[in-house]
mmCIF file of all heavy atoms in Angstrom:
data_model
loop_
_atom_site.group_PDB
_atom_site.id
_atom_site.type_symbol
_atom_site.label_atom_id
_atom_site.label_comp_id
_atom_site.label_asym_id
_atom_site.label_seq_id
_atom_site.Cartn_x
_atom_site.Cartn_y
_atom_site.Cartn_z
ATOM 1 N N PRO P 1 105.097 102.960 90.022
ATOM 2 C CA PRO P 1 105.127 101.531 90.380
ATOM 3 C C PRO P 1 104.746 101.325 91.861
ATOM 4 O O PRO P 1 103.989 100.377 92.167
ATOM 5 C CB PRO P 1 106.586 101.120 90.093
ATOM 6 C CG PRO P 1 107.025 102.031 89.006
ATOM 7 C CD PRO P 1 106.381 103.366 89.356
ATOM 8 N N THR P 2 105.243 102.158 92.749
ATOM 9 C CA THR P 2 104.863 102.043 94.161
ATOM 10 C C THR P 2 103.377 102.298 94.362
ATOM 11 O O THR P 2 102.676 101.581 95.144
ATOM 12 C CB THR P 2 105.690 103.029 95.011
ATOM 13 O OG1 THR P 2 107.067 102.802 94.793
ATOM 14 C CG2 THR P 2 105.399 102.854 96.478
ATOM 15 N N GLN P 3 102.818 103.250 93.634
ATOM 16 C CA GLN P 3 101.403 103.594 93.784
ATOM 17 C C GLN P 3 100.493 102.468 93.296
ATOM 18 O O GLN P 3 99.384 102.319 93.838
ATOM 19 C CB GLN P 3 101.104 104.866 92.986
ATOM 20 C CG GLN P 3 101.745 106.108 93.541
ATOM 21 C CD GLN P 3 101.329 107.336 92.749
ATOM 22 O OE1 GLN P 3 100.169 107.556 92.426
ATOM 23 N NE2 GLN P 3 102.299 108.191 92.421
ATOM 24 N N ILE P 4 100.936 101.695 92.318
ATOM 25 C CA ILE P 4 100.023 100.652 91.796
ATOM 26 C C ILE P 4 100.545 99.227 92.080
ATOM 27 O O ILE P 4 100.116 98.297 91.435
ATOM 28 C CB ILE P 4 99.760 100.872 90.308
ATOM 29 C CG1 ILE P 4 101.012 100.965 89.483
ATOM 30 C CG2 ILE P 4 98.873 102.083 90.084
ATOM 31 C CD1 ILE P 4 100.791 101.114 87.998
ATOM 32 N N GLY P 5 101.483 99.145 93.027
ATOM 33 C CA GLY P 5 101.811 97.809 93.585
ATOM 34 C C GLY P 5 102.726 96.996 92.756
ATOM 35 O O GLY P 5 102.569 95.764 92.676
ATOM 36 N N TYR P 6 103.738 97.585 92.128
ATOM 37 C CA TYR P 6 104.755 96.840 91.390
ATOM 38 C C TYR P 6 106.143 97.138 91.938
ATOM 39 O O TYR P 6 106.462 98.273 92.236
ATOM 40 C CB TYR P 6 104.705 97.176 89.895
ATOM 41 C CG TYR P 6 103.460 96.703 89.218
ATOM 42 C CD1 TYR P 6 102.576 97.644 88.661
ATOM 43 C CD2 TYR P 6 103.188 95.380 89.063
ATOM 44 C CE1 TYR P 6 101.427 97.235 88.013
ATOM 45 C CE2 TYR P 6 102.012 94.963 88.421
ATOM 46 C CZ TYR P 6 101.143 95.871 87.914
ATOM 47 O OH TYR P 6 100.008 95.446 87.274
ATOM 48 N N ASP P 7 106.957 96.086 92.079
ATOM 49 C CA ASP P 7 108.354 96.291 92.426
ATOM 50 C C ASP P 7 109.148 96.875 91.284
ATOM 51 O O ASP P 7 108.716 96.783 90.132
ATOM 52 C CB ASP P 7 108.941 94.933 92.872
ATOM 53 C CG ASP P 7 108.433 94.419 94.194
ATOM 54 O OD1 ASP P 7 107.987 95.241 95.002
ATOM 55 O OD2 ASP P 7 108.448 93.186 94.389
ATOM 56 N N ALA P 8 110.279 97.415 91.594
ATOM 57 C CA ALA P 8 111.101 98.120 90.575
ATOM 58 C C ALA P 8 111.597 97.177 89.497
ATOM 59 O O ALA P 8 111.928 97.612 88.393
ATOM 60 C CB ALA P 8 112.261 98.807 91.241
ATOM 61 N N ASP P 9 111.637 95.873 89.771
ATOM 62 C CA ASP P 9 112.116 94.921 88.764
ATOM 63 C C ASP P 9 111.005 94.249 87.965
ATOM 64 O O ASP P 9 111.200 93.365 87.191
ATOM 65 C CB ASP P 9 113.038 93.838 89.398
ATOM 66 C CG ASP P 9 112.327 93.085 90.485
ATOM 67 O OD1 ASP P 9 111.175 93.390 90.819
ATOM 68 O OD2 ASP P 9 112.973 92.148 91.059
ATOM 69 N N ASP P 10 109.768 94.723 88.211
ATOM 70 C CA ASP P 10 108.612 94.220 87.446
ATOM 71 C C ASP P 10 108.574 94.877 86.077
ATOM 72 O O ASP P 10 108.890 96.072 85.980
ATOM 73 C CB ASP P 10 107.346 94.504 88.228
ATOM 74 C CG ASP P 10 106.153 93.761 87.686
ATOM 75 O OD1 ASP P 10 105.714 94.027 86.511
ATOM 76 O OD2 ASP P 10 105.545 92.896 88.420
ATOM 77 N N SER P 11 108.194 94.165 85.065
ATOM 78 C CA SER P 11 108.162 94.706 83.700
ATOM 79 C C SER P 11 107.191 95.902 83.616
ATOM 80 O O SER P 11 107.385 96.783 82.789
ATOM 81 C CB SER P 11 107.777 93.610 82.669
ATOM 82 O OG SER P 11 106.477 93.094 82.984
ATOM 83 N N HIS P 12 106.157 95.900 84.442
ATOM 84 C CA HIS P 12 105.193 97.014 84.444
ATOM 85 C C HIS P 12 105.834 98.302 84.924
ATOM 86 O O HIS P 12 105.271 99.397 84.678
ATOM 87 C CB HIS P 12 103.996 96.686 85.335
ATOM 88 C CG HIS P 12 103.119 95.593 84.862
ATOM 89 N ND1 HIS P 12 103.336 94.262 85.160
ATOM 90 C CD2 HIS P 12 102.038 95.577 84.016
ATOM 91 C CE1 HIS P 12 102.434 93.498 84.592
ATOM 92 N NE2 HIS P 12 101.648 94.270 83.869
ATOM 93 N N ALA P 13 106.961 98.194 85.632
ATOM 94 C CA ALA P 13 107.616 99.406 86.193
ATOM 95 C C ALA P 13 108.592 100.045 85.245
ATOM 96 O O ALA P 13 109.176 101.104 85.550
ATOM 97 C CB ALA P 13 108.301 99.040 87.486
ATOM 98 N N GLU P 14 108.827 99.443 84.112
ATOM 99 C CA GLU P 14 109.854 99.882 83.188
ATOM 100 C C GLU P 14 109.725 101.376 82.851
ATOM 101 O O GLU P 14 108.620 101.863 82.405
ATOM 102 C CB GLU P 14 109.800 99.084 81.906
ATOM 103 C CG GLU P 14 110.834 99.423 80.864
ATOM 104 C CD GLU P 14 112.229 99.030 81.280
ATOM 105 O OE1 GLU P 14 112.375 97.999 81.950
ATOM 106 O OE2 GLU P 14 113.170 99.768 80.931
ATOM 107 N N GLY P 15 110.795 102.128 83.083
ATOM 108 C CA GLY P 15 110.806 103.542 82.714
ATOM 109 C C GLY P 15 110.155 104.489 83.704
ATOM 110 O O GLY P 15 110.140 105.700 83.483
ATOM 111 N N GLU P 16 109.587 103.966 84.814
ATOM 112 C CA GLU P 16 108.851 104.830 85.716
ATOM 113 C C GLU P 16 109.450 104.851 87.150
ATOM 114 O O GLU P 16 108.952 105.566 88.019
ATOM 115 C CB GLU P 16 107.396 104.375 85.817
ATOM 116 C CG GLU P 16 106.588 104.608 84.570
ATOM 117 C CD GLU P 16 106.346 106.118 84.292
ATOM 118 O OE1 GLU P 16 106.573 106.934 85.211
ATOM 119 O OE2 GLU P 16 106.021 106.450 83.148
ATOM 120 N N VAL P 17 110.489 104.101 87.371
ATOM 121 C CA VAL P 17 111.064 103.961 88.736
ATOM 122 C C VAL P 17 111.688 105.286 89.172
ATOM 123 O O VAL P 17 112.565 105.815 88.510
ATOM 124 C CB VAL P 17 112.089 102.820 88.810
ATOM 125 C CG1 VAL P 17 112.718 102.733 90.188
ATOM 126 C CG2 VAL P 17 111.411 101.487 88.475
ATOM 127 N N GLY P 18 111.186 105.834 90.249
ATOM 128 C CA GLY P 18 111.738 107.071 90.828
ATOM 129 C C GLY P 18 111.382 108.331 90.066
ATOM 130 O O GLY P 18 111.890 109.403 90.429
ATOM 131 N N LYS P 19 110.519 108.262 89.071
ATOM 132 C CA LYS P 19 110.277 109.430 88.194
ATOM 133 C C LYS P 19 109.380 110.495 88.818
ATOM 134 O O LYS P 19 109.722 111.675 88.831
ATOM 135 C CB LYS P 19 109.713 108.992 86.852
ATOM 136 C CG LYS P 19 110.708 108.229 85.977
ATOM 137 C CD LYS P 19 111.820 109.180 85.514
ATOM 138 C CE LYS P 19 112.865 108.464 84.678
ATOM 139 N NZ LYS P 19 112.364 108.026 83.355
ATOM 140 N N VAL P 20 108.215 110.130 89.307
ATOM 141 C CA VAL P 20 107.297 111.144 89.859
ATOM 142 C C VAL P 20 107.199 111.044 91.376
ATOM 143 O O VAL P 20 106.374 111.691 92.002
ATOM 144 C CB VAL P 20 105.891 111.014 89.235
ATOM 145 C CG1 VAL P 20 105.937 111.242 87.773
ATOM 146 C CG2 VAL P 20 105.263 109.657 89.573
ATOM 147 N N GLY P 21 108.083 110.291 91.970
ATOM 148 C CA GLY P 21 108.123 110.125 93.413
ATOM 149 C C GLY P 21 109.210 109.104 93.761
ATOM 150 O O GLY P 21 109.902 108.601 92.900
ATOM 151 N N VAL P 22 109.308 108.807 95.036
ATOM 152 C CA VAL P 22 110.367 107.919 95.495
ATOM 153 C C VAL P 22 109.958 106.465 95.261
ATOM 154 O O VAL P 22 108.753 106.107 95.371
ATOM 155 C CB VAL P 22 110.682 108.193 97.004
ATOM 156 C CG1 VAL P 22 109.490 107.896 97.882
ATOM 157 C CG2 VAL P 22 111.875 107.325 97.435
ATOM 158 N N SER P 23 110.887 105.629 94.959
ATOM 159 C CA SER P 23 110.644 104.210 94.774
ATOM 160 C C SER P 23 110.797 103.467 96.092
ATOM 161 O O SER P 23 111.861 103.503 96.719
ATOM 162 C CB SER P 23 111.672 103.626 93.755
ATOM 163 O OG SER P 23 111.568 102.214 93.716
ATOM 164 N N ILE P 24 109.696 102.862 96.581
ATOM 165 C CA ILE P 24 109.685 102.130 97.813
ATOM 166 C C ILE P 24 109.246 100.691 97.526
ATOM 167 O O ILE P 24 108.123 100.465 97.093
ATOM 168 C CB ILE P 24 108.756 102.760 98.873
ATOM 169 C CG1 ILE P 24 109.199 104.164 99.221
ATOM 170 C CG2 ILE P 24 108.682 101.899 100.160
ATOM 171 C CD1 ILE P 24 110.487 104.298 99.993
ATOM 172 N N THR P 25 110.120 99.721 97.779
ATOM 173 C CA THR P 25 109.762 98.347 97.516
ATOM 174 C C THR P 25 109.801 97.478 98.742
ATOM 175 O O THR P 25 109.247 96.392 98.736
ATOM 176 C CB THR P 25 110.723 97.723 96.442
ATOM 177 O OG1 THR P 25 112.063 97.871 96.894
ATOM 178 C CG2 THR P 25 110.545 98.425 95.100
ATOM 179 N N SER P 26 110.486 97.935 99.785
ATOM 180 C CA SER P 26 110.591 97.085 100.980
ATOM 181 C C SER P 26 110.893 97.931 102.227
ATOM 182 O O SER P 26 111.089 99.152 102.126
ATOM 183 C CB SER P 26 111.766 96.071 100.797
ATOM 184 O OG SER P 26 112.993 96.756 100.915
ATOM 185 N N LEU P 27 110.912 97.279 103.342
ATOM 186 C CA LEU P 27 111.219 97.943 104.625
ATOM 187 C C LEU P 27 112.578 98.623 104.597
ATOM 188 O O LEU P 27 112.778 99.693 105.172
ATOM 189 C CB LEU P 27 111.156 96.919 105.778
ATOM 190 C CG LEU P 27 111.458 97.436 107.173
ATOM 191 C CD1 LEU P 27 110.599 98.579 107.555
ATOM 192 C CD2 LEU P 27 111.316 96.280 108.174
ATOM 193 N N LYS P 28 113.521 98.032 103.844
ATOM 194 C CA LYS P 28 114.879 98.633 103.757
ATOM 195 C C LYS P 28 114.779 100.029 103.133
ATOM 196 O O LYS P 28 115.428 101.007 103.543
ATOM 197 C CB LYS P 28 115.830 97.775 102.994
ATOM 198 C CG LYS P 28 116.291 96.555 103.772
ATOM 199 C CD LYS P 28 117.435 95.847 103.053
ATOM 200 C CE LYS P 28 118.013 94.722 103.933
ATOM 201 N NZ LYS P 28 119.183 94.065 103.333
ATOM 202 N N ASP P 29 113.980 100.184 102.092
ATOM 203 C CA ASP P 29 113.805 101.491 101.440
ATOM 204 C C ASP P 29 113.175 102.514 102.398
ATOM 205 O O ASP P 29 113.651 103.657 102.471
ATOM 206 C CB ASP P 29 112.918 101.369 100.192
ATOM 207 C CG ASP P 29 113.607 100.685 99.026
ATOM 208 O OD1 ASP P 29 114.829 100.806 98.932
ATOM 209 O OD2 ASP P 29 112.918 100.032 98.238
ATOM 210 N N MET P 30 112.167 102.083 103.144
ATOM 211 C CA MET P 30 111.486 103.021 104.053
ATOM 212 C C MET P 30 112.421 103.453 105.184
ATOM 213 O O MET P 30 112.432 104.633 105.559
ATOM 214 C CB MET P 30 110.228 102.393 104.606
ATOM 215 C CG MET P 30 109.324 103.362 105.335
ATOM 216 S SD MET P 30 108.647 104.688 104.301
ATOM 217 C CE MET P 30 107.043 104.002 103.911
ATOM 218 N N MET P 31 113.242 102.541 105.648
ATOM 219 C CA MET P 31 114.199 102.895 106.678
ATOM 220 C C MET P 31 115.219 103.914 106.157
ATOM 221 O O MET P 31 115.624 104.821 106.900
ATOM 222 C CB MET P 31 114.877 101.637 107.195
ATOM 223 C CG MET P 31 113.988 100.706 108.041
ATOM 224 S SD MET P 31 114.669 99.109 108.371
ATOM 225 C CE MET P 31 116.130 99.572 109.315
ATOM 226 N N LYS P 32 115.643 103.746 104.916
ATOM 227 C CA LYS P 32 116.581 104.673 104.326
ATOM 228 C C LYS P 32 115.951 106.074 104.150
ATOM 229 O O LYS P 32 116.606 107.136 104.368
ATOM 230 C CB LYS P 32 117.077 104.201 102.969
ATOM 231 C CG LYS P 32 118.000 103.005 103.031
ATOM 232 C CD LYS P 32 118.314 102.476 101.639
ATOM 233 C CE LYS P 32 119.106 101.182 101.667
ATOM 234 N NZ LYS P 32 119.282 100.593 100.283
ATOM 235 N N CYS P 33 114.682 106.116 103.811
ATOM 236 C CA CYS P 33 113.981 107.370 103.627
ATOM 237 C C CYS P 33 113.992 108.241 104.905
ATOM 238 O O CYS P 33 114.057 109.469 104.837
ATOM 239 C CB CYS P 33 112.509 107.132 103.213
ATOM 240 S SG CYS P 33 112.197 107.475 101.505
ATOM 241 N N PHE P 34 113.892 107.525 106.038
ATOM 242 C CA PHE P 34 113.757 108.276 107.318
ATOM 243 C C PHE P 34 115.017 108.129 108.192
ATOM 244 O O PHE P 34 114.915 108.324 109.398
ATOM 245 C CB PHE P 34 112.474 107.807 108.027
ATOM 246 C CG PHE P 34 111.236 108.263 107.318
ATOM 247 C CD1 PHE P 34 110.599 107.430 106.431
ATOM 248 C CD2 PHE P 34 110.769 109.535 107.461
ATOM 249 C CE1 PHE P 34 109.469 107.848 105.732
ATOM 250 C CE2 PHE P 34 109.631 110.009 106.783
ATOM 251 C CZ PHE P 34 109.008 109.136 105.900
ATOM 252 N N ASP P 35 116.104 107.763 107.592
ATOM 253 C CA ASP P 35 117.344 107.651 108.319
ATOM 254 C C ASP P 35 117.718 109.031 108.926
ATOM 255 O O ASP P 35 117.779 110.050 108.205
ATOM 256 C CB ASP P 35 118.497 107.193 107.397
ATOM 257 C CG ASP P 35 119.820 107.067 108.131
ATOM 258 O OD1 ASP P 35 119.815 106.445 109.193
ATOM 259 O OD2 ASP P 35 120.841 107.566 107.616
ATOM 260 N N GLY P 36 117.921 109.070 110.248
ATOM 261 C CA GLY P 36 118.270 110.342 110.853
ATOM 262 C C GLY P 36 117.060 111.283 111.081
ATOM 263 O O GLY P 36 117.262 112.414 111.534
ATOM 264 N N ILE P 37 115.855 110.836 110.806
ATOM 265 C CA ILE P 37 114.649 111.618 111.008
ATOM 266 C C ILE P 37 113.794 110.862 112.036
ATOM 267 O O ILE P 37 113.136 109.860 111.676
ATOM 268 C CB ILE P 37 113.837 111.836 109.713
ATOM 269 C CG1 ILE P 37 114.722 112.553 108.681
ATOM 270 C CG2 ILE P 37 112.588 112.650 109.992
ATOM 271 C CD1 ILE P 37 114.102 112.686 107.320
ATOM 272 N N PRO P 38 113.794 111.280 113.309
ATOM 273 C CA PRO P 38 113.067 110.525 114.331
ATOM 274 C C PRO P 38 111.520 110.620 114.146
ATOM 275 O O PRO P 38 110.966 111.740 114.079
ATOM 276 C CB PRO P 38 113.485 111.197 115.631
ATOM 277 C CG PRO P 38 113.974 112.566 115.241
ATOM 278 C CD PRO P 38 114.508 112.433 113.851
ATOM 279 N N LEU P 39 110.864 109.507 114.001
ATOM 280 C CA LEU P 39 109.433 109.502 113.665
ATOM 281 C C LEU P 39 108.561 109.872 114.816
ATOM 282 O O LEU P 39 107.358 110.114 114.603
ATOM 283 C CB LEU P 39 109.019 108.099 113.110
ATOM 284 C CG LEU P 39 109.767 107.683 111.817
ATOM 285 C CD1 LEU P 39 109.065 106.447 111.247
ATOM 286 C CD2 LEU P 39 109.801 108.808 110.787
ATOM 287 N N ASP P 40 109.100 110.005 116.025
ATOM 288 C CA ASP P 40 108.303 110.508 117.162
ATOM 289 C C ASP P 40 108.367 112.027 117.230
ATOM 290 O O ASP P 40 107.697 112.615 118.078
ATOM 291 C CB ASP P 40 108.766 109.908 118.488
ATOM 292 C CG ASP P 40 110.261 110.135 118.777
ATOM 293 O OD1 ASP P 40 110.983 110.457 117.814
ATOM 294 O OD2 ASP P 40 110.645 109.973 119.937
ATOM 295 N N LYS P 41 109.151 112.641 116.346
ATOM 296 C CA LYS P 41 109.312 114.094 116.365
ATOM 297 C C LYS P 41 108.738 114.790 115.118
ATOM 298 O O LYS P 41 108.667 116.002 115.074
ATOM 299 C CB LYS P 41 110.821 114.442 116.475
ATOM 300 C CG LYS P 41 111.500 113.943 117.739
ATOM 301 C CD LYS P 41 111.045 114.683 118.956
ATOM 302 C CE LYS P 41 111.955 114.353 120.174
ATOM 303 N NZ LYS P 41 111.910 112.974 120.586
ATOM 304 N N VAL P 42 108.340 114.011 114.112
ATOM 305 C CA VAL P 42 107.891 114.596 112.861
ATOM 306 C C VAL P 42 106.548 114.001 112.431
ATOM 307 O O VAL P 42 106.249 112.841 112.743
ATOM 308 C CB VAL P 42 108.944 114.400 111.754
ATOM 309 C CG1 VAL P 42 109.020 112.956 111.308
ATOM 310 C CG2 VAL P 42 108.709 115.284 110.547
ATOM 311 N N SER P 43 105.734 114.791 111.791
ATOM 312 C CA SER P 43 104.479 114.314 111.219
ATOM 313 C C SER P 43 104.666 114.083 109.723
ATOM 314 O O SER P 43 105.277 114.921 109.030
ATOM 315 C CB SER P 43 103.379 115.368 111.444
ATOM 316 O OG SER P 43 102.219 115.090 110.663
ATOM 317 N N THR P 44 104.200 112.939 109.211
ATOM 318 C CA THR P 44 104.413 112.600 107.814
ATOM 319 C C THR P 44 103.110 112.322 107.130
ATOM 320 O O THR P 44 102.302 111.495 107.560
ATOM 321 C CB THR P 44 105.320 111.340 107.698
ATOM 322 O OG1 THR P 44 106.552 111.573 108.374
ATOM 323 C CG2 THR P 44 105.608 111.009 106.248
ATOM 324 N N SER P 45 102.906 112.960 105.985
ATOM 325 C CA SER P 45 101.764 112.680 105.147
ATOM 326 C C SER P 45 102.238 111.865 103.964
ATOM 327 O O SER P 45 103.267 112.197 103.333
ATOM 328 C CB SER P 45 101.117 113.990 104.656
ATOM 329 O OG SER P 45 100.121 113.734 103.672
#
């Protein structure tokens, strides 16, 4: 769903949320992903 632009509550996302990767729908999710990981010290692909 994240890869093809659907939020987790969209009907197109049914059954696929978090399955082959992390579910990111908003800034809050991204902040949780990198909580305690300083972005000036790590390289992210």
